[in-house]
Amino acid sequence: MDTITAPPAEQTVIPDRPVPPARPRLSRRRVWLLPVILILGLAAVLPAIYLSATADPQGHLKNLPVALVVEEQNPSATSGTATTAADQISAHVGEAVQLVTMDRGELAKAMAEDQVAGAVVIPATFDADIASLLPGATTTVVPTVTILTNAGDGGLSNGLVIRNLTPVLRGVAQALGAQLADSSAAPLPAANQALLAEPFRVTSEPFKQLPDDSGLGTSAFYYALVLVLLAFIGGSLVGPLVDGAVGFLPSEVGPKVIRRPYIAVTRRHSFLSKTGILVAVSPLAALAVQLVAAAVGMTAPDPLLLWLFATTTIAAIGTAVLALFAAFGPGIGSLVNTLLFVALAMVSSGGVVPTEAVPAPFAAVSHLAPFHHVVEGTRSLFYFDGNLAAGLGSAWISMVAVGAIGLLGGLLVTTAYGRIPAFTRDPKAAA
């Protein structure tokens, strides 16, 4: 019998479905944990720096330098009340103010060099005028003790000087009047008692008026801030742009992404190239800042010196910024640069709040923070005729030191990293 073989069953062929590309696991902890930690850290650190340093200037005020000037009295007046008043002022100012006794000539020099925040001046006619308030005088003149402020130190510094000295002087006036009344052998007439209730007046005025376009003594601070931000942001821009040009990083502009072939460049060569670009553009950037400032009416007595100082500042701080980027990379480097050159430096600069009115740690940082010296330099150039003793000399030294340390530190770090194969910047080798 023939065997009948059934035809094979027809098989349904299921076409292969395209496999979707693997999606990155953005939910993985290593993707989001570090950014979250850093942002939360900044959320705690930044207000801790800014608010703790500026919340209570009066409470932190200590040893604000103020001159005490007792002008030479008229020899015919022998009451000695000017000396008595000066002694009482010195005894009651407390630790918030540090009084330094000097004469008029020394005061002018101290103000020109920004060595004092203000002064108390007892006039040459003080003894004679006080004597005129007692019975028997033919004329009556109430003397005036003047509080002089250093307008170049800014409005907050001036306010602290007036706020701390005015109550002291009024208290001394009342005590002096009571002392004079008690020392009288006979009861005083009502008119003399009224005069001795306030035997001298207290007024305040700036030692030297600032120009109208000085921002009440804050324009120099903001000029310095612009220079430091230019250096900081300039370094932040130069790094990724150069890295994108050599193919180390993709260049992304809006939706467009450009991936260039990688050009083998050592870390040291890359650092020097970035530094060279920033230093080369610094003179033009300084000139642009100065022209804009001049357009709004903000000028310095010596424009050339201001331009040289601004150029040096941008180049020096920019070099230090690039060195820190080379040491820590763009992510952590941005954090370190922000803290060193902006956050900590700003509150310890003395540009808004005097360093005598911030907590001790911030006052200590001010001696090392470049921003403090930049503020001192611009303040000297705008308000103190470019006097080297008013902060410009130390500012020049600081900028040269910052630039040299940044350059040497960047070279050392990039050279050391370049000798370790595991630290190569070649994307193919790293893969």
Side-chain angles (χ1 to χ4, degrees), residues 219-228 230-231 278-279 281-287 289-290 298 300 302-318 349 369-383 385-388 390-403:
S219 57
F221 165 76
Y222 288 107
Y223 199 98
L225 178 61
V226 169
L227 299 181
V228 173
L230 268 176
L278 196 146
V279 171
V281 78
S282 294
L284 296 177
L287 179 60
V289 173
Q290 196 162 340
M298 185 178 172
D302 192 336
L304 178 59
L305 188 58
L306 175 62
W307 174 74
L308 290 173
F309 179 73
T311 298
T312 304
T313 297
I314 296 172
I317 295 182
S349 68
F371 194 11
H372 171 69
H373 296 285
V374 178
V375 171
E376 292 288 297
T378 55
R379 184 178 281 167
S380 174
L381 287 164
F382 281 106
Y383 309 145
D385 299 321
N387 194 327
L388 291 175
L392 183 59
S394 61
W396 277 116
I397 295 173
S398 175
M399 290 304 98
V400 172
V402 167

Side-chain angles (χ1 to χ4, degrees), residues 23 25-26 51 67 82 114 121 154 167 227 239 250 299 320 348:
R23 295 183 179 180
R25 296 288 299 277
L26 296 180
L51 301 183
D114 195 21
V121 179
L227 299 181
T299 58
S348 61

Side-chain angles (χ1 to χ4, degrees), residues 58-258:
Q58 179 60 52
H60 295 118
L61 185 63
K62 188 174 183 180
N63 295 330
L64 187 68
V66 174
L68 175 60
V69 179
V70 181
E71 295 182 342
E72 186 176 354
Q73 301 298 300
N74 190 329
S76 62
T78 57
S79 65
T81 51
T83 302
T84 301
D87 292 341
Q88 290 295 315
I89 293 169
S90 300
H92 290 88
V93 290
E95 65 176 9
V97 174
Q98 181 182 16
L99 282 180
V100 182
T101 303
M102 56 182 67
D103 58 31
R104 268 285 187 177
E106 292 171 333
L107 173 62
K109 184 175 184 293
M111 285 288 190
E113 296 178 353
D114 195 21
Q115 300 301 313
V116 292
V120 176
V121 179
I122 299 177
T125 59
F126 188 84
D127 281 352
D129 292 343
I130 290 293
S132 75
L133 307 181
L134 300 174
T138 57
T139 59
T140 297
V141 179
V142 178
T144 298
V145 175
T146 305
I147 301 173
L148 297 177
T149 58
N150 190 338
D153 287 345
L156 183 56
S157 175
N158 296 167
L160 289 172
V161 170
I162 295 171
R163 176 178 179 177
N164 284 273
L165 292 177
T166 300
V168 172
L169 294 177
R170 288 177 176 168
V172 169
Q174 293 174 0
L176 180 62
Q179 180 182 346
L180 292 171
D182 293 341
S183 63
S184 177
L188 294 175
N192 296 104
Q193 291 180 13
L195 290 171
L196 292 179
E198 187 180 0
F200 64 82
R201 299 187 181 94
V202 180
T203 63
S204 61
E205 61 185 43
F207 179 81
K208 177 183 177 183
Q209 289 283 0
L210 293 179
D212 293 336
D213 297 310
S214 62
L216 299 177
T218 61
S219 57
F221 165 76
Y222 288 107
Y223 199 98
L225 178 61
V226 169
L227 299 181
V228 173
L229 287 178
L230 268 176
F232 171 64
I233 298 175
S236 302
L237 287 174
V238 169
L241 290 176
V242 171
D243 287 340
V246 299
F248 178 69
L249 294 175
S251 299
E252 186 173 2
V253 180
K256 187 175 182 181
V257 178
I258 302 174

Side-chain angles (χ1 to χ4, degrees), residues 238-239 242-243 246 265-280 322 407 411:
V238 169
V242 171
D243 287 340
V246 299
V265 179
T266 64
R267 288 178 179 268
R268 181 171 60 183
H269 189 187
S270 176
F271 169 70
L272 288 174
S273 298
K274 297 170 185 176
T275 303
I277 293 172
L278 196 146
V279 171
L322 288 171
L407 181 61
L411 289 174

Side-chain angles (χ1 to χ4, degrees), residues 248 262 267 417-418 420-431:
F248 178 69
Y262 175 69
R267 288 178 179 268
Y417 287 176
I420 302 175
F423 293 168
T424 180
R425 285 167 59 89
D426 189 339
K428 294 179 180 180

Side-chain angles (χ1 to χ4, degrees), residues 22-36:
R23 295 183 179 180
R25 296 288 299 277
L26 296 180
S27 60
R28 290 180 179 178
R29 185 181 300 175
R30 67 179 183 181
V31 175
W32 57 263
L33 182 59
L34 183 58
V36 168

